[in-house]
Each structure stands twice: as structure tokens, then as C-alpha cells.
Amino acid sequence: MPPNEPKLLDQVRALIRTMHYSIRTEEAYVDWIRRFILFHKKRHPSQMGKAEIEAFLSHLAVDRRVAASTQSQAKSALLFLYQKVLKLEVEWLKDVVAAKQPQRLPTVLTFDETKTRLSHMNGETWLIASLLYGSGMRLMEACRLRVLDLDFNMRQVTIRNGKGAKDRLTMLLGTLVVPLKSHLDLIRLQHQRDCGQGVGDVYLPFALDRKYPDAAREWKWQYVLPADALSEDPRSGAVRRHHIDEQRVQRAVKQAAQDANIQKKVTPHPLRHSFATHLLQSGYDIRTVQELLGHKDVRTTQIYTHVLNRGGNAVLSPLDR
């Protein structure tokens, strides 16, 4: 490597940020690439090929016993490294054998189980769990909501830069209008105090802060569910109030399930599954549910038909006639 050329992992970070990947993707890809290099005794990736990648992926599956999705993420990181960073022709990388991901049915709560779980929550974690079930959002989509994304007149929520870097609209539950407005009144006072102390800026994506220098302090750009404390941005070093920590929500949902004695998977994501399933049970067509969930392929949405007591293709068993 020429003496003035950035180190490989620094090149990876720089390109990821240029392509507007999330910080979680950056951390995961850098970690996998580092592990790959260390696994092969610090050899440079340009000196390795298909055999070394297959050996690393096999090590993850056999020795580390990682899940198929974890192995797939490692493969994606290496694909990014070779194609985007090193700019090598690696068509063979797509043919590298990886573990097949199992097709599992989603965990779905009944209507009563959902209401019971929510009744054991309160405050901001109750708000965000209600948004997951009432609007079908993913956890991080709800955590990253900004004030301008809420349209109380149209009763809709704009989800920006969701999975696949896509925007979409979903419904705003009527019963959440008053609690959300009351919550925003408190958050606005907090934001005004932060501005008075010189720390009222919020993170803006895609260099919007350079295009609109004053936007970072505007109320409409603030997070609907901000963190309790200020923190340092790991990329820029700026001290800001970030959005709520998703782990806090996960812990609250788990505790609520234990308090309600619900013996099902206790993560926030089943609330989204329940949203989709209950809509289908209520007679809404699958295309509408697909759009609300933001699924690219309707076949992804069809998996929720498994709980409709009519089989995967809505076929009525002859025994039920």
C-alpha cells in the first residue's frame, strides 16, 4: 500500500458514509472485514480469493455456530469490500456457498395478548410500542421518527428512509393523537432548554445540515422520541440529543410480557407481525397491508395468512365444512 493511501478499514468507512449507509451497517461491515483479515493471519484481501472466503464462512457456521442470517451479513460485508472498495471483478463471490436461511413463521400475538402487554407499559416505551402495533412500523423506524413525519390532520405517518432506503406512508392511530400531542408539548420545552444551552442541534441525514445550516435546530426536525441524555455523535464528535435507545424499548417490552405472563417471543417485532395479521383478519386486502408494511414483494406479506385458520392460500379444509 502506498504510504499516503488510507488504511483499508478507513477506506471502507469513508465509502460507507459516502453511500449513506447507516452507522449500524458501518460497524457491522468493518467488524466482519476485520475478522476476515485476522482469520487469515492479516493477509491483505486483494491477495485472497474464493477459497479464503469459503473457509471463513465455513468457520462461522461450523466452529462459531452462527445463525444463517449472521453468516449472510458477513458475506455481504465481504462482497462490499471486494466490489466497492477494492473494485475487483469477483463474480465468483456470488457463487460462494453459504448456509440457507430457514423460513420461519412470525410470532403473532392475539388481540387480547397485545392489549394486555401494552397495558403493562407506560410513558415513552408505551408510545413506541403502540406505534409498532398501531402503524406496523419497525422498531428503528419508530425510534427515528421526527416531528415533521406526524400528520395529525391526515392521520398518517411518513416513514423516511426505511428498509431498502424507501419512504412510505402508514396510518396514525386515532387513540394516539392526544397522547402524542401531549408528549410533543413536553419534548418541545426540552428542546427549547437545549437550544438555550447551545446543544439544540439534531443529526440530519444526507448533509442537510450543510445545505440548510439552521435546520438542525428547527423544531420540525427534532426526534419525536429523543434520548433522556445528550451523547457524542460517533462520526462527527458533535454533542447532541439522539433518539431513544432501542434497547430501552426492548427491555420494556420484555418486562411487560413477563408481567402479563405471555409465553411468546418477547421482542418488539411481533407487534408489527400482529398489526399485519389482525388487519388481514379484519378483511383488509393483502396489497393494502403490503404497502403499509413496506414490503417489496407481496409474497413476504403472504406469510401472515398462516394464522387465519384457512391455510397459507386461504383454502378451507373439507373437515371444516
Side-chain angles (χ1 to χ4, degrees):
M1 181 180 296
N4 295 327
E5 187 171 347
K7 294 181 179 179
L8 180 63
L9 294 183
D10 290 336
Q11 294 180 49
V12 173
R13 292 188 185 95
L15 187 56
I16 285 177
R17 296 175 188 182
T18 300
M19 298 177 70
H20 302 303
Y21 284 20
S22 73
I23 190 169
R24 286 174 174 77
T25 301
E26 176 184 331
E27 292 170 348
Y29 277 20
V30 169
D31 184 53
W32 283 122
I33 293 169
R34 180 188 290 112
R35 292 189 191 192
F36 174 65
I37 294 171
L38 293 177
F39 179 77
H40 289 292
K41 312 300 182 183
K42 298 186 179 182
R43 292 171 59 193
H44 196 277
S46 61
Q47 301 172 354
M48 296 185 282
K50 183 177 180 180
E52 287 80 6
I53 292 176
E54 286 185 331
F56 178 65
L57 295 179
S58 297
H59 160 73
L60 294 179
V62 177
D63 301 328
R64 298 295 303 277
R65 298 182 181 180
V66 302
S69 57
T70 303
Q71 190 194 49
S72 177
Q73 185 187 64
K75 182 179 177 181
S76 297
L78 298 178
L79 188 64
F80 179 87
L81 170 67
Y82 278 91
Q83 288 188 326
K84 305 296 184 181
V85 181
L86 299 178
K87 299 186 183 302
L88 297 177
E89 293 295 333
V90 286
E91 290 299 322
W92 47 263
L93 186 52
K94 297 178 181 178
D95 299 326
V96 170
V97 178
K100 184 178 180 180
Q101 295 194 36
Q103 298 296 317
R104 304 192 186 281
L105 294 176
T107 300
V108 176
L109 304 174
T110 65
F111 180 79
D112 289 338
E113 287 174 334
T114 306
K115 288 293 185 180
T116 303
R117 177 181 286 194
L118 291 175
S119 69
H120 284 82
M121 302 181 69
N122 54 66
E124 292 178 332
T125 54
W126 172 83
L127 261 182
I128 201 167
S130 298
L131 284 169
L132 299 184
Y133 176 61
S135 302
M137 301 180 196
R138 299 175 178 90
L139 175 57
M140 291 310 301
E141 291 173 343
C143 289
R144 292 169 178 157
L145 278 180
R146 299 178 189 257
V147 174
L148 59 82
D149 298 331
L150 301 178
D151 189 333
F152 292 107
N153 294 325
M154 297 294 292
R155 293 285 180 88
Q156 65 185 20
V157 181
T158 302
I159 298 174
R160 306 180 192 276
N161 198 33
K163 190 172 183 179
K166 296 181 294 184
D167 294 354
R168 74 179 190 278
L169 294 175
T170 188
M171 65 184 73
L172 176 59
L173 196 62
T175 55
L176 289 182
V177 170
V178 173
L180 273 172
K181 286 184 175 181
S182 299
H183 169 75
L184 290 177
D185 288 340
L186 296 175
I187 296 304
R188 189 162 197 164
L189 292 175
Q190 181 185 66
H191 173 59
Q192 291 171 351
R193 289 195 298 268
D194 286 347
C195 288
Q197 297 172 6
V199 289
D201 290 10
V202 70
Y203 165 76
L204 294 180
F206 312 132
L208 285 175
D209 54 341
R210 291 199 296 271
K211 188 175 182 180
Y212 306 107
D214 298 328
R217 282 179 172 248
E218 292 181 14
W219 166 241
K220 66 180 181 181
W221 286 104
Q222 304 306 307
Y223 289 115
V224 173
L225 294 148
D228 292 334
L230 302 174
S231 59
E232 182 178 313
D233 189 311
R235 286 179 170 175
S236 67
V239 177
R240 301 189 178 104
R241 192 176 296 277
H242 203 47
H243 59 66
I244 188 172
D245 185 355
E246 68 274 14
Q247 293 184 358
R248 178 184 166 192
V249 183
Q250 292 166 344
R251 289 192 295 267
V253 169
K254 181 178 180 180
Q255 185 61 52
Q258 292 176 352
D259 294 342
N261 197 28
I262 296 175
Q263 306 300 319
K264 289 184 179 179
K265 192 174 182 180
V266 288
T267 66
H269 207 60
L271 292 170
R272 171 175 157 91
H273 295 325
S274 303
F275 163 83
T277 303
H278 296 167
L279 283 183
L280 291 173
Q281 287 177 325
S282 299
Y284 288 93
D285 67 275
I286 199 166
R287 291 288 184 179
T288 299
V289 178
Q290 176 193 0
E291 290 183 9
L292 292 173
L293 293 175
H295 288 161
K296 183 178 180 180
D297 193 328
V298 71
R299 287 176 295 183
T300 307
T301 317
Q302 285 175 337
I303 195 170
Y304 296 111
T305 61
H306 80 288
V307 297
L308 301 183
N309 296 324
R310 286 190 161 191
N313 296 311
V315 176
L316 187 64
S317 169
L319 193 60
D320 289 332
R321 293 184 184 276

Coordinates of all heavy atoms in Angstrom, one line a residue, residues 279-280 282-291 301:
L279 N -55.0 -7.0 10.7 CA -55.6 -6.3 9.6 C -56.2 -7.3 8.6 O -57.3 -7.2 8.1 CB -54.6 -5.4 8.9 CG -54.2 -4.1 9.5 CD1 -53.3 -3.3 8.6 CD2 -55.5 -3.3 9.8
L280 N -55.4 -8.4 8.3 CA -55.9 -9.4 7.4 C -57.1 -10.1 8.0 O -58.1 -10.4 7.3 CB -54.8 -10.4 7.1 CG -53.6 -9.9 6.3 CD1 -52.5 -11.0 6.2 CD2 -54.1 -9.6 4.8
S282 N -59.3 -8.8 9.8 CA -60.4 -7.8 9.7 C -60.9 -7.6 8.3 O -61.9 -6.9 8.1 CB -60.0 -6.5 10.3 OG -59.6 -6.6 11.6
G283 N -60.3 -8.3 7.3 CA -60.8 -8.3 6.0 C -60.1 -7.3 5.0 O -60.5 -7.2 3.9
Y284 N -59.0 -6.7 5.5 CA -58.3 -5.8 4.6 C -57.5 -6.6 3.6 O -57.0 -7.7 3.9 CB -57.3 -4.9 5.3 CG -58.0 -3.8 6.1 CD1 -58.4 -4.0 7.5 CD2 -58.4 -2.6 5.5 CE1 -59.0 -3.0 8.2 CE2 -59.0 -1.6 6.3 CZ -59.4 -1.8 7.6 OH -60.0 -0.9 8.3
D285 N -57.4 -6.1 2.3 CA -56.7 -6.9 1.3 C -55.2 -6.9 1.5 O -54.7 -6.0 2.1 CB -57.1 -6.4 -0.1 CG -56.5 -5.0 -0.3 OD1 -57.2 -4.0 0.1 OD2 -55.4 -4.9 -0.9
I286 N -54.6 -7.9 1.0 CA -53.2 -8.1 1.3 C -52.3 -7.1 0.6 O -51.2 -6.7 1.1 CB -52.8 -9.6 0.8 CG1 -51.5 -10.0 1.5 CG2 -52.6 -9.6 -0.7 CD1 -51.2 -11.4 1.4
R287 N -52.7 -6.5 -0.5 CA -52.0 -5.4 -1.1 C -51.9 -4.2 -0.3 O -50.9 -3.5 -0.2 CB -52.6 -5.1 -2.5 CG -52.4 -6.2 -3.5 CD -51.0 -6.3 -4.0 NE -50.9 -7.3 -5.1 CZ -49.8 -7.6 -5.7 NH1 -48.7 -6.9 -5.4 NH2 -49.7 -8.5 -6.7
T288 N -53.0 -3.9 0.4 CA -53.0 -2.7 1.3 C -52.1 -2.9 2.5 O -51.3 -2.1 2.8 CB -54.4 -2.5 1.9 OG1 -55.3 -2.2 0.8 CG2 -54.5 -1.3 2.8
V289 N -52.1 -4.1 3.0 CA -51.2 -4.5 4.1 C -49.8 -4.4 3.7 O -48.9 -4.0 4.4 CB -51.6 -5.8 4.7 CG1 -50.6 -6.2 5.8 CG2 -53.0 -5.9 5.2
Q290 N -49.5 -4.9 2.5 CA -48.2 -4.9 1.9 C -47.6 -3.4 1.9 O -46.5 -3.2 2.2 CB -48.2 -5.5 0.5 CG -46.8 -5.4 -0.2 CD -46.9 -5.7 -1.7 OE1 -48.0 -6.0 -2.2 NE2 -45.8 -5.7 -2.4
E291 N -48.4 -2.5 1.4 CA -48.0 -1.1 1.3 C -47.7 -0.5 2.7 O -46.8 0.2 2.9 CB -49.0 -0.3 0.5 CG -49.1 -0.6 -0.9 CD -50.1 0.3 -1.7 OE1 -50.6 1.2 -1.1 OE2 -50.4 0.0 -2.8
T301 N -45.6 -10.6 2.5 CA -46.8 -10.3 3.3 C -47.6 -11.5 3.4 O -48.3 -11.7 4.4 CB -47.6 -9.2 2.6 OG1 -46.7 -8.1 2.2 CG2 -48.6 -8.6 3.6

